[in-house]
Amino acid sequence: MQGFGIHTSLWAHSWTREAAELAIPEAAERGLAFVEIALLEPGKVDTAHTRALLEKHGIGAVCSLGLPDDARPTNNPERAFDFLKLALDKTAEIGATALSGVIYGSIGERTGKPPTEAEYDIVARTMQKVAAHARTLGLELGIEAVNRYENHMINTTEQAVGLIERIGAPNVFLHLDTYHMNIEAKGQANAILAGAGHLKYIHLSESDRGVPGTGTIAWDEVFAGLAGIGFKGGMAMESFIHMPPQLASALSVWRPVADSREQLLGEGLPFLRNKARQYKLI
Ligand code: FUD
């Protein structure tokens, strides 16, 4: 995955045939390289339909998810593996290249206590099995660091890289997100530089998860950091104007963060592209 993409929450709260028919032609029309498809219910996706649309419009896809609360490696590693195996099979059927996100736990998973060695251990062992299955399908797996209110184990670049090293599989990469880094990192560029060698995917998300360029994210630092590590991966604009019901409570975005899809496409996307151009990333 390379270049610009957009997370499908721009178009719809779940990935139905109607959502695919709206999103894929529009993404292609806007010159995007890929769409990021939220696979929160992998069993329900019409993969052949999505694949045919992607091929027709000549764009790629990346899939992402957070695990269901009852399928976390920390509470049910077998169910976590089964869920991720199904999600990987669907990712491959779609013709996407990677499955990323909070694949190591659920969004909203917090114990009210610091993470333990036992938790990291079962997460890493589960991810080793998942990475091995992904390899048989030629897929990569991304570990997304999210803020402390959404998960207690992986909040920083360093923690994500620690987990990636513990998993020790060649097809596992780091996924960062400017919204989460704005809460957890000592600066956007520091978090990106610390991920050099592992970072292959980034969510470009404003401080309120609304229109990029209208909030407080230090965008020059983001793109200077990416240029500094010679970033060649995928950059996905992410804004939750359509909130997947499975994520609503954990993400707690209760106010509208943008006026419309058109505002995100017409203002947010050009803002990000101009910055990326300025730093010679596209
Ligand atoms: C969650 C988040 C998302 C999430 C993805 C799932 O806070 O940032 O990236 O992992 O949307 O599709």
Side-chain angles (χ1 to χ4, degrees):
M1 79 233 102
Q2 279 193 323
F4 265 93
I6 299 188
H7 187 275
T8 51
S9 53
L10 180 76
W11 291 281
H13 59 66
S14 44
W15 192 249
T16 58
R17 288 168 66 103
E18 294 71 32
E21 281 160 21
L22 177 67
I24 294 170
E26 186 160 80
E29 200 180 291
R30 299 282 173 157
L32 295 172
F34 65 92
V35 283
E36 179 181 329
I37 300 171
L39 270 193
L40 296 161
E41 293 181 302
K44 291 198 180 160
V45 174
D46 184 341
T47 52
H49 176 258
T50 293
R51 188 184 190 117
L53 277 168
L54 290 168
E55 283 171 1
K56 178 173 169 206
H57 292 277
I59 63 169
V62 169
C63 294
S64 69
L65 55 81
L67 291 173
D69 288 339
D70 62 356
R72 301 168 172 167
T74 54
N75 64 13
N76 197 332
E78 290 77 27
R79 200 178 287 171
F81 175 76
D82 290 345
F83 189 92
L84 288 163
K85 183 173 181 296
L86 176 66
L88 283 167
D89 293 343
K90 298 292 170 187
T91 299
E93 283 170 31
I94 283 171
T97 52
L99 178 69
S100 196
V102 187
I103 61 166
Y104 52 84
S106 72
I107 301 177
E109 174 175 357
R110 294 173 305 159
T111 56
K113 298 193 190 109
T116 65
E117 265 307 295
E119 286 172 323
Y120 285 127
D121 187 52
I122 190 64
V123 167
R125 283 192 286 124
T126 310
M127 291 300 114
Q128 283 167 352
K129 284 173 60 188
V130 175
H133 183 66
R135 269 189 101 175
T136 66
L137 300 168
L139 295 174
E140 292 194 282
L141 277 184
I143 301 288
E144 181 183 11
V146 294
N147 74 75
R148 64 191 71 181
Y149 308 108
E150 293 185 28
N151 189 282
H152 70 299
M153 293 180 287
I154 308 291
N155 305 139
T156 64
T157 301
E158 289 76 7
Q159 286 173 322
V161 169
L163 177 60
I164 290 167
E165 285 171 353
R166 208 187 262 237
I167 299 166
N171 58 334
V172 183
F173 64 85
L174 170 66
H175 169 171
L176 290 176
D177 178 316
T178 55
Y179 167 81
H180 299 297
M181 285 141 74
N182 189 46
I183 295 170
E184 298 296 341
K186 290 192 188 297
Q188 298 280 341
N190 283 331
I192 291 169
L193 296 179
H198 292 286
L199 184 65
K200 287 200 180 171
Y201 197 69
I202 187 161
H203 277 163
L204 303 173
S205 188
E206 193 42 276
S207 49
D208 65 346
R209 304 196 113 156
V211 186
T214 64
T216 60
I217 295 292
W219 291 108
D220 283 292
E221 265 204 38
V222 172
F223 287 103
L226 292 174
I229 63 164
F231 182 75
K232 300 263 183 302
M235 297 175 271
M237 180 171 80
E238 185 181 54
S239 173
F240 289 94
I241 59 168
H242 294 285
M243 180 59 76
Q246 298 88 346
L247 304 184
S249 164
L251 267 58
S252 297
V253 178
W254 303 122
R255 290 171 282 113
V257 291
D259 295 340
S260 62
R261 177 169 107 236
E262 190 43 52
Q263 189 190 19
L264 281 154
L265 289 169
E267 295 173 26
L269 184 61
F271 170 84
L272 293 173
R273 278 185 159 144
N274 285 339
K275 285 279 174 217
R277 250 178 236 121
Q278 199 182 322
Y279 288 90
K280 303 196 181 345
L281 284 152
I282 52 171

Coordinates of all heavy atoms in Angstrom, one line a residue, residues 111-174:
T111 N -8.1 -2.4 31.5 CA -8.4 -3.2 32.7 C -8.5 -2.3 34.0 O -8.8 -2.7 35.1 CB -7.2 -4.2 33.0 OG1 -6.0 -3.4 33.0 CG2 -7.2 -5.2 31.9
G112 N -8.1 -1.0 33.7 CA -8.0 -0.1 34.9 C -6.7 -0.3 35.6 O -6.5 0.3 36.7
K113 N -5.8 -1.1 35.0 CA -4.5 -1.4 35.6 C -3.4 -1.3 34.5 O -3.8 -1.4 33.3 CB -4.5 -2.8 36.2 CG -5.5 -3.0 37.3 CD -5.1 -4.3 38.1 CE -6.3 -4.7 39.0 NZ -7.1 -5.8 38.6
P114 N -2.2 -1.2 34.9 CA -1.1 -1.2 33.9 C -1.1 -2.6 33.1 O -1.5 -3.6 33.7 CB 0.2 -1.1 34.6 CG -0.2 -0.7 36.0 CD -1.6 -1.1 36.3
P115 N -0.7 -2.6 31.9 CA -0.6 -3.8 31.1 C 0.4 -4.8 31.8 O 1.4 -4.3 32.4 CB -0.1 -3.4 29.7 CG 0.5 -2.0 29.9 CD -0.2 -1.4 31.1
T116 N 0.2 -6.1 31.7 CA 1.1 -7.0 32.4 C 1.9 -7.8 31.3 O 1.5 -7.9 30.2 CB 0.3 -8.0 33.2 OG1 -0.5 -8.8 32.3 CG2 -0.6 -7.4 34.2
E117 N 3.0 -8.4 31.8 CA 3.8 -9.3 31.0 C 2.9 -10.4 30.4 O 3.1 -10.8 29.2 CB 4.9 -9.9 31.8 CG 6.2 -9.2 31.8 CD 6.7 -9.0 30.3 OE1 7.0 -10.0 29.6 OE2 6.8 -7.8 29.9
A118 N 2.0 -11.0 31.2 CA 1.2 -12.1 30.8 C 0.3 -11.6 29.6 O 0.1 -12.4 28.7 CB 0.4 -12.6 31.9
E119 N -0.2 -10.4 29.7 CA -1.0 -9.9 28.6 C -0.2 -9.8 27.3 O -0.6 -10.2 26.2 CB -1.7 -8.6 29.0 CG -2.8 -8.7 30.0 CD -3.3 -7.3 30.5 OE1 -2.5 -6.4 30.7 OE2 -4.5 -7.2 30.7
Y120 N 0.9 -9.1 27.4 CA 1.8 -9.0 26.2 C 2.2 -10.3 25.6 O 2.3 -10.5 24.4 CB 3.0 -8.2 26.5 CG 2.8 -6.7 26.7 CD1 3.2 -6.0 27.8 CD2 2.1 -5.9 25.7 CE1 3.0 -4.6 27.9 CE2 1.9 -4.6 25.8 CZ 2.3 -3.9 26.9 OH 2.1 -2.6 27.1
D121 N 2.4 -11.3 26.5 CA 2.8 -12.6 26.1 C 1.7 -13.3 25.3 O 2.0 -13.8 24.2 CB 3.2 -13.4 27.3 CG 3.8 -14.7 26.9 OD1 4.8 -14.7 26.1 OD2 3.4 -15.8 27.4
I122 N 0.5 -13.3 25.8 CA -0.6 -14.0 25.1 C -0.9 -13.3 23.8 O -1.3 -13.9 22.8 CB -1.8 -14.3 26.0 CG1 -2.8 -15.2 25.3 CG2 -2.5 -13.0 26.4 CD1 -2.3 -16.6 25.0
V123 N -0.8 -11.9 23.8 CA -1.1 -11.2 22.6 C 0.0 -11.5 21.6 O -0.4 -11.9 20.4 CB -1.1 -9.6 22.9 CG1 -1.0 -8.9 21.6 CG2 -2.3 -9.2 23.7
A124 N 1.2 -11.6 21.9 CA 2.3 -11.9 21.0 C 2.2 -13.3 20.4 O 2.3 -13.5 19.2 CB 3.7 -11.7 21.6
R125 N 1.8 -14.2 21.3 CA 1.7 -15.6 20.9 C 0.5 -15.8 19.9 O 0.6 -16.5 18.9 CB 1.6 -16.6 22.0 CG 3.0 -16.8 22.6 CD 3.2 -17.9 23.6 NE 2.5 -17.6 24.9 CZ 1.6 -18.3 25.5 NH1 1.1 -19.4 24.9 NH2 1.1 -17.9 26.6
T126 N -0.6 -15.1 20.2 CA -1.7 -15.1 19.3 C -1.3 -14.5 17.9 O -1.7 -15.0 16.9 CB -2.9 -14.4 19.9 OG1 -3.1 -14.9 21.2 CG2 -4.2 -14.6 19.1
M127 N -0.7 -13.3 18.0 CA -0.3 -12.6 16.8 C 0.7 -13.5 15.9 O 0.7 -13.4 14.7 CB 0.3 -11.3 17.1 CG -0.7 -10.2 17.7 SD -2.1 -9.9 16.5 CE -3.4 -10.6 17.5
Q128 N 1.5 -14.3 16.6 CA 2.5 -15.1 15.8 C 1.7 -16.1 14.9 O 2.0 -16.3 13.8 CB 3.4 -15.9 16.8 CG 4.5 -15.0 17.3 CD 5.2 -15.7 18.5 OE1 4.8 -16.7 19.0 NE2 6.3 -15.0 18.9
K129 N 0.6 -16.7 15.5 CA -0.2 -17.6 14.7 C -0.9 -16.9 13.6 O -1.1 -17.4 12.5 CB -1.2 -18.3 15.7 CG -0.6 -19.4 16.5 CD -1.7 -19.9 17.6 CE -2.9 -20.5 16.9 NZ -3.9 -20.8 17.9
V130 N -1.4 -15.7 13.9 CA -2.2 -14.9 12.9 C -1.2 -14.5 11.8 O -1.6 -14.6 10.6 CB -2.8 -13.7 13.6 CG1 -3.5 -12.8 12.6 CG2 -3.8 -14.1 14.7
A131 N 0.0 -14.1 12.2 CA 1.0 -13.6 11.2 C 1.3 -14.8 10.3 O 1.5 -14.6 9.0 CB 2.2 -13.1 11.8
A132 N 1.4 -16.0 10.8 CA 1.8 -17.2 10.0 C 0.6 -17.4 9.0 O 0.9 -17.7 7.8 CB 2.0 -18.4 10.9
H133 N -0.6 -17.3 9.4 CA -1.7 -17.5 8.5 C -1.7 -16.4 7.4 O -1.9 -16.7 6.2 CB -3.1 -17.5 9.3 CG -4.2 -17.8 8.3 ND1 -4.4 -19.0 7.7 CD2 -5.3 -17.0 7.9 CE1 -5.5 -19.0 6.9 NE2 -6.0 -17.8 7.0
A134 N -1.4 -15.2 7.9 CA -1.4 -14.1 6.9 C -0.3 -14.4 5.8 O -0.5 -14.1 4.6 CB -1.1 -12.8 7.6
R135 N 0.8 -14.9 6.2 CA 1.9 -15.2 5.3 C 1.4 -16.2 4.2 O 1.8 -16.1 3.0 CB 3.1 -15.8 6.0 CG 4.1 -14.7 6.4 CD 5.3 -15.3 6.9 NE 6.4 -15.3 5.9 CZ 7.6 -15.7 6.2 NH1 7.9 -16.1 7.4 NH2 8.5 -15.6 5.2
T136 N 0.6 -17.2 4.6 CA 0.2 -18.2 3.6 C -0.7 -17.5 2.6 O -0.9 -18.0 1.5 CB -0.6 -19.3 4.3 OG1 -1.9 -18.8 4.8 CG2 0.1 -20.0 5.4
L137 N -1.3 -16.3 2.9 CA -2.2 -15.6 2.0 C -1.4 -14.5 1.3 O -2.0 -13.7 0.5 CB -3.4 -15.1 2.7 CG -4.3 -16.1 3.4 CD1 -5.2 -15.4 4.4 CD2 -5.1 -16.9 2.4
G138 N -0.1 -14.3 1.6 CA 0.6 -13.2 1.1 C 0.2 -11.8 1.6 O 0.4 -10.8 1.0
L139 N -0.3 -11.8 2.9 CA -0.8 -10.6 3.5 C 0.1 -10.1 4.6 O 0.8 -10.8 5.2 CB -2.2 -10.8 4.1 CG -3.3 -11.1 3.1 CD1 -4.6 -11.4 3.9 CD2 -3.5 -10.0 2.2
E140 N 0.1 -8.7 4.8 CA 0.8 -8.1 5.9 C -0.2 -7.8 7.0 O -1.4 -7.6 6.7 CB 1.5 -6.9 5.4 CG 2.6 -7.2 4.5 CD 3.5 -6.0 4.2 OE1 3.1 -5.1 3.5 OE2 4.6 -5.9 4.9
L141 N 0.3 -7.6 8.2 CA -0.5 -7.3 9.4 C 0.0 -6.0 10.0 O 1.3 -5.9 10.2 CB -0.3 -8.4 10.4 CG -1.1 -9.7 10.4 CD1 -0.7 -10.5 11.7 CD2 -2.6 -9.4 10.4
G142 N -0.8 -5.1 10.3 CA -0.4 -3.9 11.0 C -0.9 -3.8 12.4 O -2.0 -4.2 12.8
I143 N 0.0 -3.2 13.3 CA -0.3 -3.0 14.7 C -0.5 -1.5 14.9 O 0.5 -0.7 14.7 CB 0.9 -3.5 15.6 CG1 1.1 -5.0 15.4 CG2 0.6 -3.2 17.1 CD1 0.1 -6.0 15.9
E144 N -1.7 -1.1 15.2 CA -2.0 0.4 15.4 C -1.9 0.7 16.8 O -2.7 0.2 17.7 CB -3.4 0.7 14.8 CG -3.7 2.2 14.9 CD -5.1 2.6 14.4 OE1 -5.9 1.7 14.2 OE2 -5.3 3.8 14.3
A145 N -1.1 1.7 17.2 CA -1.1 2.3 18.5 C -2.2 3.2 18.7 O -2.4 4.1 17.8 CB 0.3 3.0 18.8
V146 N -3.0 3.0 19.7 CA -4.2 3.9 20.0 C -4.0 4.5 21.4 O -3.3 4.1 22.2 CB -5.5 3.2 19.8 CG1 -5.7 2.8 18.3 CG2 -5.7 2.0 20.7
N147 N -4.9 5.6 21.6 CA -4.7 6.3 22.9 C -5.2 5.5 24.1 O -5.9 4.5 24.0 CB -5.4 7.6 22.8 CG -6.9 7.5 22.9 OD1 -7.5 7.3 23.9 ND2 -7.6 7.6 21.7
R148 N -4.7 5.9 25.2 CA -4.9 5.2 26.5 C -6.4 4.9 26.9 O -6.7 4.1 27.6 CB -4.3 6.0 27.6 CG -4.9 7.4 27.8 CD -4.1 8.2 28.8 NE -2.9 8.7 28.1 CZ -2.0 9.5 28.8 NH1 -2.2 9.9 30.0 NH2 -0.9 9.8 28.1
Y149 N -7.3 5.7 26.3 CA -8.7 5.6 26.6 C -9.4 4.4 25.8 O -10.5 4.0 26.0 CB -9.5 6.9 26.4 CG -8.9 8.0 27.2 CD1 -8.2 9.0 26.5 CD2 -8.9 8.0 28.5 CE1 -7.6 10.0 27.2 CE2 -8.3 9.0 29.2 CZ -7.6 10.1 28.6 OH -7.0 11.0 29.3
E150 N -8.6 4.0 24.7 CA -9.2 3.0 23.8 C -8.5 1.6 24.0 O -9.0 0.6 23.5 CB -9.0 3.5 22.4 CG -9.9 4.7 22.1 CD -9.9 5.1 20.6 OE1 -9.7 4.2 19.7 OE2 -10.1 6.3 20.4
N151 N -7.3 1.6 24.6 CA -6.7 0.3 24.9 C -5.5 0.6 25.9 O -4.9 1.6 25.8 CB -6.1 -0.3 23.6 CG -5.6 -1.7 23.8 OD1 -4.5 -1.9 24.3 ND2 -6.4 -2.7 23.4
H152 N -5.3 -0.3 26.8 CA -4.3 -0.1 27.8 C -2.9 -0.7 27.5 O -2.0 -0.4 28.2 CB -4.8 -0.6 29.2 CG -4.8 -2.1 29.3 ND1 -5.6 -2.9 28.4 CD2 -4.1 -3.0 30.1 CE1 -5.4 -4.1 28.7 NE2 -4.6 -4.2 29.7
M153 N -2.8 -1.4 26.3 CA -1.5 -2.1 26.1 C -0.6 -1.4 25.1 O 0.6 -1.3 25.3 CB -1.8 -3.5 25.6 CG -2.5 -4.4 26.7 SD -2.8 -6.1 26.1 CE -4.2 -5.8 25.0
I154 N -1.2 -0.8 24.0 CA -0.4 -0.3 22.9 C -0.8 1.2 22.6 O -1.6 1.4 21.8 CB -0.5 -1.1 21.6 CG1 -0.2 -2.6 21.9 CG2 0.5 -0.6 20.5 CD1 1.2 -3.0 22.3
N155 N -0.1 2.1 23.3 CA -0.4 3.5 23.2 C 0.6 4.3 22.5 O 0.4 5.4 22.0 CB -0.6 4.2 24.6 CG -1.7 3.5 25.4 OD1 -1.5 3.3 26.6 ND2 -2.8 3.0 24.9
T156 N 1.9 3.8 22.4 CA 3.0 4.6 21.8 C 3.7 3.8 20.7 O 3.5 2.5 20.7 CB 4.0 4.9 22.9 OG1 4.6 3.6 23.4 CG2 3.4 5.6 24.1
T157 N 4.5 4.5 20.0 CA 5.3 3.8 19.0 C 6.2 2.8 19.6 O 6.3 1.6 19.1 CB 6.2 4.9 18.3 OG1 5.4 5.8 17.7 CG2 7.1 4.2 17.2
E158 N 6.8 3.1 20.7 CA 7.7 2.2 21.4 C 7.0 0.9 21.8 O 7.6 -0.2 21.7 CB 8.4 2.9 22.6 CG 9.4 4.0 22.3 CD 8.7 5.3 21.9 OE1 7.5 5.5 21.9 OE2 9.5 6.2 21.5
Q159 N 5.8 1.0 22.4 CA 5.1 -0.2 22.8 C 4.7 -1.0 21.6 O 4.8 -2.2 21.6 CB 3.8 0.2 23.6 CG 4.1 0.7 25.0 CD 2.9 1.2 25.6 OE1 2.0 1.9 25.0 NE2 2.8 1.0 26.9
A160 N 4.3 -0.3 20.5 CA 3.9 -1.1 19.3 C 5.2 -1.8 18.7 O 5.1 -3.0 18.3 CB 3.3 -0.2 18.2
V161 N 6.3 -1.1 18.6 CA 7.5 -1.7 18.1 C 7.9 -2.9 19.0 O 8.4 -3.9 18.6 CB 8.6 -0.7 18.0 CG1 10.0 -1.3 17.7 CG2 8.3 0.3 16.8
G162 N 7.8 -2.7 20.3 CA 8.1 -3.8 21.3 C 7.2 -5.0 21.0 O 7.8 -6.1 21.0
L163 N 6.0 -4.8 20.7 CA 5.1 -6.0 20.4 C 5.5 -6.6 19.1 O 5.6 -7.8 18.9 CB 3.6 -5.5 20.3 CG 2.6 -6.6 19.9 CD1 2.7 -7.8 20.9 CD2 1.2 -6.1 19.9
I164 N 5.8 -5.7 18.1 CA 6.2 -6.2 16.7 C 7.5 -7.1 16.9 O 7.6 -8.2 16.3 CB 6.4 -5.1 15.8 CG1 5.1 -4.4 15.4 CG2 7.2 -5.5 14.5 CD1 5.2 -3.1 14.7
E165 N 8.4 -6.6 17.7 CA 9.7 -7.4 17.9 C 9.4 -8.7 18.6 O 10.0 -9.7 18.4 CB 10.7 -6.5 18.6 CG 11.3 -5.5 17.6 CD 12.2 -4.4 18.3 OE1 12.3 -4.4 19.5 OE2 12.8 -3.6 17.5
R166 N 8.5 -8.6 19.6 CA 8.1 -9.9 20.3 C 7.5 -10.9 19.4 O 7.7 -12.1 19.5 CB 7.2 -9.5 21.5 CG 7.2 -10.4 22.7 CD 6.1 -10.0 23.6 NE 6.6 -9.1 24.7 CZ 6.5 -9.4 26.0 NH1 6.0 -10.5 26.4 NH2 6.9 -8.6 26.9
I167 N 6.7 -10.4 18.5 CA 6.0 -11.3 17.5 C 7.1 -11.9 16.6 O 7.1 -13.1 16.3 CB 4.9 -10.6 16.7 CG1 3.8 -10.0 17.6 CG2 4.3 -11.5 15.6 CD1 2.9 -9.0 16.9
G168 N 8.0 -11.0 16.2 CA 9.1 -11.5 15.4 C 8.8 -12.1 14.0 O 9.5 -13.0 13.6
A169 N 7.7 -11.6 13.4 CA 7.4 -12.1 12.1 C 7.7 -11.0 11.0 O 7.5 -9.9 11.3 CB 5.9 -12.5 12.0
P170 N 8.2 -11.4 9.8 CA 8.6 -10.4 8.8 C 7.4 -9.6 8.2 O 7.6 -8.6 7.7 CB 9.3 -11.2 7.8 CG 8.8 -12.6 7.9 CD 8.4 -12.8 9.4
N171 N 6.2 -10.2 8.4 CA 5.1 -9.5 7.7 C 4.2 -8.6 8.7 O 3.0 -8.4 8.4 CB 4.2 -10.5 7.0 CG 3.7 -11.6 7.9 OD1 4.3 -11.9 8.9 ND2 2.5 -12.2 7.6
V172 N 4.8 -8.2 9.8 CA 4.1 -7.4 10.7 C 4.7 -6.0 10.8 O 5.9 -5.8 10.9 CB 4.1 -8.0 12.2 CG1 3.2 -7.1 13.1 CG2 3.5 -9.4 12.1
F173 N 3.9 -4.9 10.6 CA 4.4 -3.6 10.5 C 3.7 -2.7 11.5 O 2.7 -3.0 12.1 CB 4.2 -3.0 9.0 CG 2.8 -2.9 8.6 CD1 2.0 -1.8 8.9 CD2 2.2 -3.9 7.9 CE1 0.7 -1.7 8.4 CE2 0.8 -3.8 7.4 CZ 0.1 -2.7 7.7
L174 N 4.3 -1.5 11.6 CA 3.7 -0.4 12.5 C 2.7 0.5 11.8 O 3.0 0.9 10.7 CB 4.9 0.4 13.1 CG 4.5 1.7 13.9 CD1 3.8 1.3 15.2 CD2 5.8 2.5 14.1

